[in-house]
Amino acid sequence: MRVFAVVIIAVLFFAACGGNADYSPKPRGYFRIELPKKEYQEYVSNYPFTFQYPKYAVIEKDTQTRVAPNLISMTHLLNMQFRQLNGTLHLSYETITSKKMFNELVEDAHKLAFKNSIKATDIDQGDIHVPAHNVYGIYYTIGGNSASSVQFFLTDSVKNYMRGALYFNTEPRLDSIQPVLNFVKQDINVMIGSFKWKK
């Protein structure tokens, strides 16, 4: 009886190991992200600009000093926090006092965007041109696993300058953040389209 049981177990074991199906591990999965509802509100402050931004975001003053070597230090810093999506749009504003300063600010924006070129697969530049609101600038779309995927600057070319850079508080992996990045980019586009300098 014992031998019979061992034979049955051996047959079942070999039957379970049989088959020609190739084994492949499941791809790594990511948590499902619940994206918030698209609703906007107006940002109003003592700064000389207004814009629409999403209701799920919070804008607060930046308390840290961020100075890149050989670049102009920005004196007015804001963070648009996307806490639910673990991201931040860093905004910096400066009053233009000379043509030289304006050229340096534009060059700084270019240098900071192309600083991501080590990890970027591509960097596209697009002109921002909204004459009805006196808003001009450049929008940088940075592809690949770079730390920042979106950067831009806005100016009236005379007195006001604002720069923005989007970062997610996670290791940059484009395949995992792409849905969130696309969602936030829509909100940044709404912000830029509604941006106005105060008179």
Side-chain angles (χ1 to χ4, degrees), residues 26 35 44 46 76-78 118 133 160 163 178 184:
K26 284 185 177 181
L35 298 174
V44 180
N46 293 331
H76 304 282
L77 304 171
L78 297 170
I118 296 167
H133 297 164
N160 299 297
R163 182 178 173 277
Q178 189 69 58
V184 174

Side-chain angles (χ1 to χ4, degrees), residues 137-155:
I138 296 179
Y139 188 100
Y140 298 94
T141 304
I142 304 164
N145 294 326
S146 61
S148 176
S149 300
V150 174
Q151 296 192 21
F152 62 89
F153 73 85
L154 305 172
T155 182

Side-chain angles (χ1 to χ4, degrees), residues 85-97:
L85 304 175
N86 203 22
T88 304
L89 178 64
H90 298 283
L91 300 169
S92 48
Y93 169 77
E94 195 60 62
T95 302
I96 300 167
T97 57

Side-chain angles (χ1 to χ4, degrees), residues 43-73:
Y43 178 73
V44 180
S45 69
N46 293 331
Y47 292 112
F49 51 79
T50 63
F51 55 82
Q52 297 287 316
Y53 72 102
K55 286 189 174 179
Y56 70 90
V58 176
I59 298 178
E60 52 197 21
K61 285 192 177 182
D62 191 335
T63 55
Q64 296 181 2
T65 304
R66 298 182 207 296
V67 181
N70 305 321
L71 299 176
I72 291 178
S73 172

Side-chain angles (χ1 to χ4, degrees), residues 10-193:
V11 169
L12 290 173
F13 176 75
F14 286 115
C17 294
N20 293 329
D22 290 334
Y23 171 76
S24 61
K26 284 185 177 181
R28 184 174 176 182
Y30 297 98
F31 294 109
R32 181 181 169 158
I33 299 168
E34 293 292 330
L35 298 174
K37 187 176 176 184
K38 291 273 187 204
E39 292 182 301
Y40 299 95
Q41 58 194 341
E42 189 166 3
Y43 178 73
V44 180
S45 69
N46 293 331
Y47 292 112
F49 51 79
T50 63
F51 55 82
Q52 297 287 316
Y53 72 102
K55 286 189 174 179
Y56 70 90
V58 176
I59 298 178
E60 52 197 21
K61 285 192 177 182
D62 191 335
T63 55
Q64 296 181 2
T65 304
R66 298 182 207 296
V67 181
N70 305 321
L71 299 176
I72 291 178
S73 172
M74 305 298 278
T75 52
H76 304 282
L77 304 171
L78 297 170
N79 289 329
M80 186 184 298
Q81 300 284 1
F82 306 109
R83 291 191 177 117
Q84 195 173 342
L85 304 175
N86 203 22
T88 304
L89 178 64
H90 298 283
L91 300 169
S92 48
Y93 169 77
E94 195 60 62
T95 302
I96 300 167
T97 57
S98 67
K99 180 70 173 164
K100 179 178 182 274
M101 181 185 185
F102 173 75
N103 291 337
E104 288 174 355
L105 288 166
V106 171
E107 183 60 28
D108 286 355
H110 184 77
K111 283 179 188 172
L112 289 166
F114 278 84
K115 210 172 171 185
N116 292 284
S117 61
I118 296 167
K119 295 253 182 174
T121 54
D122 63 307
I123 300 177
D124 291 330
Q125 297 181 110
D127 288 337
I128 298 168
H129 189 77
V130 189
H133 297 164
N134 200 23
V135 174
Y136 308 94
I138 296 179
Y139 188 100
Y140 298 94
T141 304
I142 304 164
N145 294 326
S146 61
S148 176
S149 300
V150 174
Q151 296 192 21
F152 62 89
F153 73 85
L154 305 172
T155 182
D156 59 4
S157 303
V158 178
K159 189 167 92 170
N160 299 297
Y161 173 92
M162 175 186 267
R163 182 178 173 277
L166 176 66
Y167 289 88
F168 288 97
N169 306 316
T170 184
E171 184 183 338
R173 283 193 186 137
L174 188 61
D175 58 343
S176 63
I177 65 163
Q178 189 69 58
V180 173
L181 175 60
N182 292 341
F183 186 83
V184 174
K185 276 168 109 175
Q186 291 172 2
D187 294 331
I188 292 173
N189 292 340
V190 167
M191 176 199 160
I192 291 171

